[in-house]
Amino acid sequence: MEAKPEVLGTTSEIIPLALPKGTEKLCELCERRANLQCTKCRVTFYCDADHQQADWVGIHERICQLLVPIRMATLWSLQQEGQIEMQLKKLELIEICRLVAQSKLSEGKHQEALPAAQFCLRCSKDVHGPTNVEMVPAYLLLAEANLGLGNLAVVAELLSQAEWAVLKSPECGHGVQHWLHRSLGQLHMATGNLEAALLYFANDIYFASEEYGLDSTVTCNGYFLMADVFAKQGKTPIVRSLYSEVAHTWHCYLTKLLETHIQNIQNPDMLLEPSYDKSKQVEVDKMLTTMLEFMQNDSRKDSAQIALVAHCLAMLWFLGGDFLKALGFCSTALQASQLIPNHDLTEPIQALLQLVQGLHTEPHPGSD
């Protein structure tokens, strides 16, 4: 027999006669007429079970009880002190939803990110107003989720609103500007307007370098996106140059992270614990793997670059606690580095390989 899908959260049917006259409850996700309500908080409503399940997985499980004081008006909540506290609670919800949406987007879970991004936008409008520059992160989160799902018309509308809010605020920070231009570049990439995408990615890199520095991994990710445009244009030499820049930045960052990680851990068993954010790891792995595949298939195969990127991936997965993947990338890196006499990466690659092999073969506590 086919297993029934797990039901997450619980709902009950809305009784229309129990509602105040002239009121109608709307679905949390689509804003159509609701037929169900969450039985845990009783202040969240859905048109059907599919939307309830999607919202529960996306964000509602995290914020269910936090919604109760905000959505249930009391005499105290209407007073000035109560209104101030409600605003603070909404700001807390905005931050929770922002973090959840960003984490899911980094993992490529665009559908799951939608509920958190939608609630973040809705709550931000309540607190800041629709055209305030504080709204921009919420617009950009929802745009990124829809971009991953191919909803380009929705993305264009959201980015237009974000751009308008930024234009109205000359004091807007470089961090927001970088994020906006990166999103606009990705939209133009998706619509095939490559020249416009290049312009926006160039602006993205400028603002990111102003905010985070030229050697930042945030800045170099803009180079990766720009390389993708040049790859579509068939400009392989430029792609090689940009990928080299990205590889060196990430190698420097991961090397420092690895050194700190090993130095700070006295008990070797603690190395089994991941020390790198899982959601970010998925995103970085996708980028570095794309670069490695390009280099391995390139007609001008550069063993030094292959060793560099494979070593990055080995360190990334070692820090993430996946020693099997780290072992595989260590072997790839070592093979490439050994093709170059006296290559300066051979020794650190061998050291990491020995460390990974020792931990991979070491018996875990409680194992036979």
Side-chain angles (χ1 to χ4, degrees):
M1 288 180 63
E2 186 178 343
K4 293 183 179 179
E6 182 183 2
V7 177
L8 304 171
T10 55
T11 59
S12 61
E13 290 190 15
I14 296 174
I15 303 174
L17 294 177
L19 299 176
K21 189 176 180 180
T23 62
E24 185 177 67
K25 299 301 181 183
L26 301 178
C27 177
E28 185 76 5
L29 295 192
C30 66
E31 298 189 336
R32 293 198 297 263
R33 182 179 177 180
N35 301 300
L36 303 172
Q37 69 175 350
C38 173
T39 56
K40 293 181 180 291
C41 66
R42 297 193 174 275
V43 293
T44 310
F45 306 91
Y46 303 100
C47 61
D48 58 29
D50 287 342
H51 277 191
Q52 180 272 328
Q53 292 284 285
D55 191 39
W56 182 266
V57 171
I59 189 62
H60 192 69
E61 182 181 16
R62 290 283 302 274
I63 64 173
C64 183
Q65 293 306 305
L66 296 176
L67 295 173
V68 177
I70 290 175
R71 291 181 171 175
M72 290 188 69
T74 63
L75 181 61
W76 183 80
S77 69
L78 298 175
Q79 296 172 357
Q80 185 175 3
E81 289 184 0
Q83 289 177 356
I84 293 172
E85 183 166 332
M86 288 303 104
Q87 290 292 86
L88 292 174
K89 288 183 180 294
K90 287 180 180 179
L91 287 170
E92 180 187 359
L93 281 169
I94 290 170
E95 182 63 10
I96 291 171
C97 292
R98 183 186 68 81
L99 292 172
V100 169
Q102 284 183 330
S103 176
K104 290 182 180 294
L105 288 171
S106 294
E107 294 182 69
K109 298 177 179 178
H110 299 94
Q111 190 69 50
E112 286 188 20
L114 269 181
Q118 285 178 339
F119 187 87
C120 184
L121 180 62
R122 195 180 311 131
C123 206
S124 295
K125 283 182 179 178
D126 288 344
V127 174
H128 304 297
T131 60
N132 192 296
V133 72
E134 299 289 340
M135 286 289 302
V136 175
Y139 282 129
L140 297 180
L141 277 176
L142 191 53
E144 188 174 344
N146 278 284
L147 183 64
L149 297 171
N151 302 326
L152 300 186
V154 176
V155 176
E157 175 61 26
L158 289 165
L159 293 184
S160 176
Q161 293 181 66
E163 198 169 14
W164 175 241
V166 168
L167 287 171
K168 286 179 60 183
S169 306
E171 74 285 359
C172 180
H174 291 132
V176 171
Q177 291 270 19
H178 123 74
W179 193 2
L180 173 61
H181 282 87
R182 182 166 295 186
S183 299
L184 286 165
Q186 289 172 317
L187 173 62
H188 284 288
M189 271 283 288
T191 57
N193 191 345
L194 301 184
E195 291 302 323
L198 280 176
L199 177 61
Y200 281 117
F201 287 144
N203 289 334
D204 155 33
I205 291 166
Y206 167 75
F207 287 118
S209 64
E210 287 291 305
E211 181 73 12
Y212 305 105
L214 277 170
D215 297 329
S216 164
T217 55
V218 177
T219 303
C220 87
N221 289 0
Y223 288 121
F224 175 79
L225 292 169
M226 187 175 275
D228 194 18
V229 179
F230 285 118
K232 291 183 185 301
Q233 293 178 332
K235 299 177 180 179
T236 305
I238 302 177
V239 178
R240 290 191 193 106
S241 177
L242 290 170
Y243 276 175
S244 176
E245 184 73 24
V246 176
H248 279 92
T249 300
W250 271 102
H251 191 269
C252 181
Y253 174 77
L254 289 166
T255 298
K256 291 177 180 177
L257 198 63
L258 178 64
E259 289 172 352
T260 302
H261 176 69
I262 294 174
Q263 288 170 3
N264 290 345
I265 296 175
Q266 300 300 321
N267 182 357
D269 290 338
M270 293 182 66
L271 285 172
L272 298 173
E273 294 297 322
S275 65
Y276 198 82
D277 179 52
K278 182 182 177 183
S279 62
K280 285 292 181 185
Q281 186 177 28
V282 173
E283 185 178 22
V284 178
D285 172 66
K286 183 178 179 181
M287 178 178 63
L288 293 174
T289 301
T290 298
M291 291 167 53
L292 182 61
E293 289 174 354
F294 169 85
M295 292 168 182
Q296 289 175 325
N297 296 324
D298 190 8
S299 58
R300 290 177 53 187
K301 192 169 292 186
D302 188 333
S303 297
Q305 290 297 308
I306 292 172
L308 190 72
V309 177
H311 191 209
C312 284
L313 282 159
M315 290 189 287
L316 179 74
W317 284 108
F318 174 78
L319 291 165
D322 191 326
F323 300 136
L324 192 59
K325 283 189 176 180
L327 196 62
F329 285 118
C330 268
S331 298
T332 301
L334 187 60
Q335 288 173 12
S337 71
Q338 288 176 335
L339 295 175
I340 306 168
N342 302 316
H343 190 251
D344 56 1
L345 276 185
T346 301
E347 188 175 332
I349 292 170
Q350 286 175 330
L352 179 59
L353 183 60
Q354 290 173 2
L355 180 60
V356 174
Q357 285 173 333
L359 290 169
H360 183 58
T361 57
E362 195 173 274
H364 297 285
S367 62
D368 294 333

